[in-house]
């Protein structure tokens, strides 16, 4: 009986261990087996196309309103500095995305990177969060187009009857047919092909950028004539102090969200190693420059406290006696409409590719992975997501749920930065292969083991010769003068696994320290002593783990991980660490209501994963082999097929 209980305990422990391993199992960089079956997207996008997608997605209509609200309530004339600081903070994530995009140029963006570097469960969490972001974000953008279009046409009464919003009094629902129709039009464009949709995106984005350039040039001309009266405040460039400027930076940071849409089209890029980092970098640079120039001009036209928070740009022109201020309003409104249309296209573009990537990996039904042979885009996924976004845009006012959009993006930014740390200090040692290659795996493993044993025998036979010679190392006399240095060097060379384990534990400790510190900084109802204590503990854990990471050597395997020769993130581990800290703080600052709604969505996602994704994952029966065996196994299988 005791033996039977022991057997049951061992069986239960084995099941738990297997279940945990399945949560952290990682896939290899490229889905080779999928591409061999012919399921591939068309590689037609250039760096210019990617930049148009990124800029169009990032510059929404919010900038036409946000410049006034932030200046009046938080920054004053220092709003330009706030945009610069927010741009630098966003650049931290840009560097991380650029390296992973060039190393792992496949569809799925942050989901794909998390699956390769962290594990399946975290990848599912990110993918599920991004599904929510793209769906709600697309619906919210679409519902914002109709009022701006009505303003452009001179009022809602000038809209065609079938586009006017209607209210159902019994249900309190405001139906927006204009929003739904626009979503369906964008869905049709995305189904037509990536090159066709990117061409439309480029045209719409160009109109939006031209509207902003008009504001900059015309506003700068007026400001020069009037003497930049908005800055004549007798030294009050920071009327709300440093805290106000930083608070404004936190608000306008969300104006830079959207550049990650570039990585969603990674599999459709002609030269991903060059064009993806270039597209991401150009997107952020152009957006930051445009934001700052608009801020400089508008604040220079009128004092910050005189800006109209609802229509800051047109009111700034009117305040300077501009005779054609009404025409300027049309240009600004046209810019807002085109900005929203470009953002709508950018929001609906990545989601079908995300669903396709998740379906390829078996976490979603294979229906979503089908690619049209004619247009070479995932038509079924595109139509499904477009219909869902159209229904939401038609029936629901999703403005209250818009905060949930930021959660998905900030979670993705955080996980991408963590992935950079893992890639540099402990990249995957093993890769999964389908069980159909088992015979080749066994053959290669036996052959390499035999070669390793013969090499060991040769080294053993040569040991006598080495012992008769004077003890020297590759450092020459340094080994005699500094024996501890050589000992440490040899231990580091001989114990890479120990160094990897130290790195992983310190990355985990760093994340815990960030969580404790940002929680202490964000929660307001705690006593001051608890605030200080938690903050001190979190900061101590954070700094100690970061110092250890900085002292460790990065893993040599990082040089051969993924596609080599692309962009490399600088200042590791400090840059990814700063990225994790900033994004975690913004996540903690989103509010309890937002987190409650997000938690409900994530619980639903966990149930879907347990009931379907975990059981149907393509890695369920995969065989993990060392990275060094990979080329030998593929060569053996290829020669067998020939």
């Amino acid at each position: 009986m005791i033996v039977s209980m022991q057997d049951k305990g061992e069986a239960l422990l084995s099941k738990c261990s297997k279940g945990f391993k399945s949560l952290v199992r990682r896939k290899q960089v490229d889905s080779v087996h999928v591409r061999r079956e012919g399921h591939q997207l068309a590689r037609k996008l250039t760096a210019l196309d990617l930049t148009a997608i990124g800029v169009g997605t990032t510059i929404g209509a919010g900038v036409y309103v946000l410049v006034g609200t932030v200046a009046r309530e938080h920054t004053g004339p220092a709003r330009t500095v706030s945009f610069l600081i927010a741009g630098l903070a966003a650049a931290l994530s840009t560097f991380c995305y650029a390296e992973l995009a060039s190393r792992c140029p496949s569809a799925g963006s942050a989901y794909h990177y998390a699956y390769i570097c962290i594990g399946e469960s975290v990848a599912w969490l990110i993918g599920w969060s991004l599904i929510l972001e793209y769906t709600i974000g697309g619906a919210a953008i679409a519902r914002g187009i109709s009022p701006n279009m009505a303003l452009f046409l001179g009022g809602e009464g000038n809209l065609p009857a079938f586009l006017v919003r209607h209210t159902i009094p019994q249900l309190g629902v405001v139906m927006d047919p204009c929003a739904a129709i626009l979503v369906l039009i964008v869905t049709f464009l995305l189904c037509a092909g990536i090159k066709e949709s990117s061409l439309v995106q480029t045209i719409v984005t160009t109109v939006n950028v031209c509207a902003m350039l008009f504001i900059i040039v015309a506003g700068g001309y007026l400001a020069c004539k009037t003497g930049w009266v908005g800055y004549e405040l007798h030294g009050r460039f920071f009327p709300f102090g440093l805290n106000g400027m930083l608070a404004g930076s936190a608000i306008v940071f969300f104006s830079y969200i959207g550049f990650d849409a570039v990585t969603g089209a990674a599999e459709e890029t002609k030269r991903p190693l060059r064009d993806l980092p270039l597209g991401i970098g150009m997107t952020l640079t152009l957006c930051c420059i445009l934001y700052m120039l608009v801020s400089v001009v508008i604040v220079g036209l009128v004092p910050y406290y005189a800006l109209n928070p609802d229509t800051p740009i047109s009111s700034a022109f009117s305040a300077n006696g501009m005779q054609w201020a009404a025409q300027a309003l049309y240009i600004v409104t046209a810019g807002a409409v085109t900005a929203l249309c470009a953002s709508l296209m950018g929001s609906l573009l990545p989601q079908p590719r995300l669903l396709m990537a998740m379906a390829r990996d078996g976490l979603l039904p294979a229906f979503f992975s089908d690619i049209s042979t004619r247009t070479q885009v995932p038509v079924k996924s595109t139509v499904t997501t477009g219909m869902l976004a159209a229904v939401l845009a038609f029936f629901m006012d999703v403005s209250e749920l818009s905060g949930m959009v930021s959660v998905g993006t900030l979670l993705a930014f955080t996980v991408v930065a963590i992935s950079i740390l893992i890639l540099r200090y402990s990249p995957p040692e093993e890769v999964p292969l389908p069980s159909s290659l088992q015979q080749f795996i066994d053959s290669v493993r036996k052959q390499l083991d035999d070669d390793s044993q013969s090499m060991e025998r040769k080294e053993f036979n040569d040991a006598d010769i080495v012992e008769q010679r004077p003890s020297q190392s590759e450092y020459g006399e340094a080994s005699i003068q500094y024996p501890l240095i050589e000992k440490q060097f040899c231990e580091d060379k001989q114990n890479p696994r120990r160094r990897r384990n130290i790195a992983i534990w310190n990355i985990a400790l760093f994340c815990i320290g960030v969580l404790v510190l940002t929680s202490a900084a964000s929660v307001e109802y705690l006593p001051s002593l608890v605030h200080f204590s938690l903050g001190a503990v979190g900061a101590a854990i954070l700094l100690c783990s970061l110092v250890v990471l900085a002292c460790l050597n990065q893993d040599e395997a990082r040089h051969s991980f993924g596609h080599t020769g692309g962009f490399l993130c600088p200042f590791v581990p400090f840059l990814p660490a700063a990225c994790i800290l900033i994004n975690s703080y913004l996540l903690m600052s989103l509010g309890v209501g937002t987190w409650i709604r997000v938690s409900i969505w994530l619980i639903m996602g966990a149930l879907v994963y347990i009931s379907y994704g975990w059981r149907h994952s393509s890695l369920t029966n995969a065989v993990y082999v060392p990275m060094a065996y990979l080329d030998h196994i593929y060569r053996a299988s290829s020669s067998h097929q020939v």
Side-chain angles (χ1 to χ4, degrees), residues 187 190-192 352 370-372 375-384:
T187 301
L190 294 176
C191 290
D370 289 345
I371 296 176
S372 170
T375 61
Q376 292 183 284
V377 295
V379 173
K380 293 181 180 179
S381 297
T382 303
V383 171
T384 302

Side-chain angles (χ1 to χ4, degrees), residues 269-397:
T269 305
K270 288 181 179 179
R271 290 173 288 186
L273 266 68
R274 189 202 71 169
D275 291 347
L276 283 171
L278 199 58
I280 295 171
M282 288 174 63
T283 293
L284 186 67
T285 303
L286 285 175
C287 291
C288 187
I289 291 173
L290 289 172
Y291 287 157
M292 291 177 64
L293 289 177
V294 169
S295 298
V296 168
V297 168
I298 298 305
V299 173
L301 284 174
V302 293
Y304 70 92
Y305 50 81
L307 284 172
N308 187 321
D310 296 323
T311 56
I313 297 176
S314 55
S315 64
F317 283 132
S318 300
N320 283 271
M322 191 171 176
Q323 300 298 322
W324 37 281
Q327 287 77 8
L329 176 61
Y330 280 109
I331 295 175
V332 171
T333 307
V337 171
T338 55
L340 285 168
C341 290
S343 295
L344 178 61
M345 294 184 68
S347 296
L348 296 181
L349 174 68
Q351 185 170 4
R353 285 139 184 88
L354 171 63
L355 295 177
M356 180 194 69
M358 298 176 75
R360 277 179 176 177
D361 297 327
L363 304 184
L364 289 177
F367 168 85
F368 294 106
S369 64
D370 289 345
I371 296 176
S372 170
T373 56
R374 187 175 64 87
T375 61
Q376 292 183 284
V377 295
V379 173
K380 293 181 180 179
S381 297
T382 303
V383 171
T384 302
T385 56
M387 293 295 293
L388 179 59
V391 170
L392 286 175
F394 184 73
F395 286 107
M396 294 180 61
D397 184 5

Side-chain angles (χ1 to χ4, degrees), residues 298-532:
I298 298 305
V299 173
L301 284 174
V302 293
Y304 70 92
Y305 50 81
L307 284 172
N308 187 321
D310 296 323
T311 56
I313 297 176
S314 55
S315 64
F317 283 132
S318 300
N320 283 271
M322 191 171 176
Q323 300 298 322
W324 37 281
Q327 287 77 8
L329 176 61
Y330 280 109
I331 295 175
V332 171
T333 307
V337 171
T338 55
L340 285 168
C341 290
S343 295
L344 178 61
M345 294 184 68
S347 296
L348 296 181
L349 174 68
Q351 185 170 4
R353 285 139 184 88
L354 171 63
L355 295 177
M356 180 194 69
M358 298 176 75
R360 277 179 176 177
D361 297 327
L363 304 184
L364 289 177
F367 168 85
F368 294 106
S369 64
D370 289 345
I371 296 176
S372 170
T373 56
R374 187 175 64 87
T375 61
Q376 292 183 284
V377 295
V379 173
K380 293 181 180 179
S381 297
T382 303
V383 171
T384 302
T385 56
M387 293 295 293
L388 179 59
V391 170
L392 286 175
F394 184 73
F395 286 107
M396 294 180 61
D397 184 5
V398 293
S399 59
E400 294 184 0
L401 306 178
S402 58
M404 299 171 69
V405 174
S406 303
V407 173
T409 302
L410 294 174
L411 279 176
F413 287 2
T414 305
V415 166
V416 165
I418 295 173
S419 298
I420 287 290
L421 292 177
I422 294 175
L423 187 155
R424 293 296 189 91
Y425 289 98
S426 183
E429 296 178 282
E430 297 181 330
V431 293
L433 294 177
S435 56
S436 59
L437 297 176
Q438 184 67 58
Q439 60 173 337
F440 305 108
I441 295 170
D442 295 337
S443 174
V444 169
R445 182 173 289 162
K446 184 177 183 303
Q447 178 185 351
L448 293 178
D449 287 345
D450 292 341
D451 294 343
S452 177
Q453 290 176 5
S454 63
M455 184 64 70
E456 288 177 1
R457 285 196 297 270
K458 183 179 183 300
E459 291 177 355
F460 179 77
N461 293 332
D462 293 341
D464 295 335
I465 302 173
V466 176
E467 287 177 1
Q468 294 173 6
R469 295 177 180 174
S471 175
Q472 290 186 1
S473 71
E474 60 182 309
Y475 295 103
E477 296 181 359
S479 62
I480 300 174
Q481 297 176 6
Y482 306 102
L484 293 177
I485 294 177
E486 183 177 2
K487 181 180 179 182
Q488 180 63 38
F489 171 77
C490 294
E491 287 180 354
D492 186 65
K493 297 288 282 187
Q494 294 173 0
N495 297 311
R497 185 172 296 277
R498 177 172 173 270
R499 179 180 46 74
R500 283 167 169 258
N501 291 336
I502 292 174
I504 286 295
W505 277 108
N506 278 278
I507 292 172
L509 285 174
F510 176 81
C511 294
I512 293 172
V514 168
L515 184 63
V516 173
L517 179 61
T518 53
S519 300
S522 302
V523 179
E524 298 179 354
Y525 55 82
L526 291 177
S528 300
L529 181 61
V530 177
H531 264 292
F532 178 78

Side-chain angles (χ1 to χ4, degrees), residues 104 114 149 259-260 642:
C104 316
M149 190 175 292
F259 66 84
D260 55 316
V642 173

Side-chain angles (χ1 to χ4, degrees), residues 31-42 267 360 369-373 376:
S31 302
V32 179
H33 59 286
V34 174
R35 293 182 182 178
R36 284 182 177 175
E37 295 172 359
H39 299 289
Q40 52 186 336
L41 303 173
E267 210 166 306
R360 277 179 176 177
S369 64
D370 289 345
I371 296 176
S372 170
T373 56
Q376 292 183 284

Side-chain angles (χ1 to χ4, degrees), residues 64-385:
Y64 293 95
V65 177
L66 202 60
V67 289
T69 305
V70 173
R72 281 177 61 93
E73 299 177 4
H74 298 283
T75 64
R79 181 183 56 194
T80 306
V81 182
S82 293
F83 270 113
L84 177 61
I85 293 174
L88 293 175
L92 301 178
S93 297
T94 301
F95 284 122
C96 298
Y97 265 97
E99 175 169 346
L100 289 173
S102 59
R103 283 185 184 267
C104 316
S106 295
S109 189
Y111 157 80
H112 180 63
Y113 312 145
Y115 207 161
I116 291 171
C117 297
I118 302 177
E120 185 175 279
S121 57
V122 176
W124 170 266
L125 172 73
I126 295 301
W128 190 253
S129 300
L130 290 176
I131 289 173
L132 177 71
E133 174 197 339
Y134 294 141
T135 304
I136 293 182
I141 292 169
R143 286 187 74 95
I145 294 177
S146 52
N148 281 279
M149 190 175 292
L151 182 63
F152 179 75
L153 296 176
E156 192 169 297
N158 295 327
L159 280 173
F162 68 93
L163 295 179
V164 176
R165 289 182 173 182
H166 302 283
T167 304
I168 303 177
Q170 295 82 0
L171 301 176
V173 175
V174 179
M175 296 184 298
D176 194 338
C178 179
I181 291 172
L182 286 170
V183 171
L184 294 177
I185 292 173
V186 170
T187 301
F188 173 78
L189 285 172
L190 294 176
C191 290
I194 187 63
K195 194 62 180 178
E196 291 77 7
S197 58
S198 66
L199 176 61
V200 176
Q201 176 86 316
T202 302
I203 294 171
V204 175
T205 302
T206 301
V207 175
N208 180 26
V209 171
C210 288
M212 295 186 73
L213 290 175
F214 164 79
I215 294 168
I216 294 167
V217 173
Y221 172 74
L222 280 177
C224 288
K225 287 182 64 177
T226 57
W228 299 91
V229 294
Y231 292 104
E232 296 178 358
L233 300 174
H234 306 291
R236 293 184 61 198
F237 189 76
F238 298 95
F240 298 95
L242 182 62
N243 290 334
M245 186 194 68
L246 293 177
S249 298
I251 294 172
V252 300
F253 175 83
F254 295 99
S255 300
Y256 291 98
I257 288 178
F259 66 84
D260 55 316
V262 173
T263 61
E267 210 166 306
E268 293 154 296
T269 305
K270 288 181 179 179
R271 290 173 288 186
L273 266 68
R274 189 202 71 169
D275 291 347
L276 283 171
L278 199 58
I280 295 171
M282 288 174 63
T283 293
L284 186 67
T285 303
L286 285 175
C287 291
C288 187
I289 291 173
L290 289 172
Y291 287 157
M292 291 177 64
L293 289 177
V294 169
S295 298
V296 168
V297 168
I298 298 305
V299 173
L301 284 174
V302 293
Y304 70 92
Y305 50 81
L307 284 172
N308 187 321
D310 296 323
T311 56
I313 297 176
S314 55
S315 64
F317 283 132
S318 300
N320 283 271
M322 191 171 176
Q323 300 298 322
W324 37 281
Q327 287 77 8
L329 176 61
Y330 280 109
I331 295 175
V332 171
T333 307
V337 171
T338 55
L340 285 168
C341 290
S343 295
L344 178 61
M345 294 184 68
S347 296
L348 296 181
L349 174 68
Q351 185 170 4
R353 285 139 184 88
L354 171 63
L355 295 177
M356 180 194 69
M358 298 176 75
R360 277 179 176 177
D361 297 327
L363 304 184
L364 289 177
F367 168 85
F368 294 106
S369 64
D370 289 345
I371 296 176
S372 170
T373 56
R374 187 175 64 87
T375 61
Q376 292 183 284
V377 295
V379 173
K380 293 181 180 179
S381 297
T382 303
V383 171
T384 302
T385 56

